[in-house]
Amino acid sequence: MTGDQSRGSAGRTEIPGSPPPELGDLVRAEDRLSFAYFEHCVITREDNAIAITRDTGTIRLPAANLGVLMLGPGTTVSHQAMVVIGDNGASVVWVGERGVRMYAFGRPLTHSAALLQRQAALVSNTRKRLAVARAMYQMRFLNEDVSSCTMQQLRGREGARVRQVYRHWSELTGVAWDRRTYDHEDFDAGNEINKALSAAHTCLYGIAHSVIVALGCSPGLGFVHVGHERSFVYDVADLYKAEISIPVAFKTAAKQPDDIGSATRHAMRDAVYDLSLMRRMARDIPRLLGAPVSSSSDEDGGTLELWDEKVGGVPAGRSYADEEEEMS
């Protein structure tokens, strides 16, 4: 009898492999492997690890240590592999042959909704939302005071800053630069530097998405970006592009590798590690939302309550029928 067919004492089909980990046992977002990319392979589950099989052999990765799994063309993934990835809170990014991407993610690495509620409250109040947006821009303009700038003024400054960053790295690396042009539907339509930028930014988006979800925040509730399911992902990623993905793209393009996408991803992984990016994101996001930075991924136990308009929350799991009768 195979593992898929084995049954427990209650007659239920047992899931093969180790039982799902307890939340407190999961590796914190900032301590995980930033991302791994695979294509033309078969991915299956072995206990609480995933096994990646290619023509060259099989490698195994503990799912609990993985931040983002990027899957390229020709990838087949088993159902149980996705189960263990989801149980361990990793994010999955499908990268299509023509640059089409789709995100999926596992559970947060916290039971608490406190940070999500704070995010929703801030983004729903114009004054508070503007304060968070200004704080995000302040991280990019360290020697300037942007506390009184409007969003229009901030967008203008940011546009000029990014153009200057592109020119700087073009001059430094000797890579010709005109402008950022790319086709979401066709990765190969761009020139080498634009391909490198697309590959580097995709890695950065995946990492940001993974940390945001791990902290229990919503990828869709952005402060600068709005109207998209990954608005907050773009907000967070933009904080680090000038420091990480843009330099990596230009340096990689200058080397003229045969496969610009693969070379860029390898360079990004090294840069993410060297600059402790995941650790920084895990601290920058709560700070921007005005929340304390926890040393634990689940310091708040996330007690389930029922909302009350007067006191905020009352205990769940009990009947309030008698109280209602007393009040009536």
Side-chain angles (χ1 to χ4, degrees), residues 130-131 134-135 138 144-154 157:
L130 179 58
R134 284 170 172 163
Q138 189 65 70
E144 300 179 37
D145 181 8
V146 300
S147 60
S148 61
C149 291
T150 65
M151 289 302 296
Q152 182 178 359
Q153 291 170 330
L154 291 171
R157 290 192 185 190

Side-chain angles (χ1 to χ4, degrees), residues 17-18 44-51 53 58-61 81 84:
S18 304
T44 55
R45 173 179 180 171
E46 293 188 7
D47 293 325
N48 263 344
I50 56 172
T53 302
T58 300
I59 62 174
R60 295 164 182 83
L61 288 176
V84 73

Side-chain angles (χ1 to χ4, degrees), residues 15-16 22 24 34 44 60 71 74 87 135 137 140 146 154 169 173-174 211 218 278 289 294:
I15 296 176
E22 295 294 329
S34 57
T44 55
R60 295 164 182 83
L71 305 180
D87 282 344
Y137 281 110
R140 305 171 224 188
V146 300
L154 291 171
W169 283 105
T173 61
V211 175
S218 168
M278 297 182 75
L289 299 180
S294 300

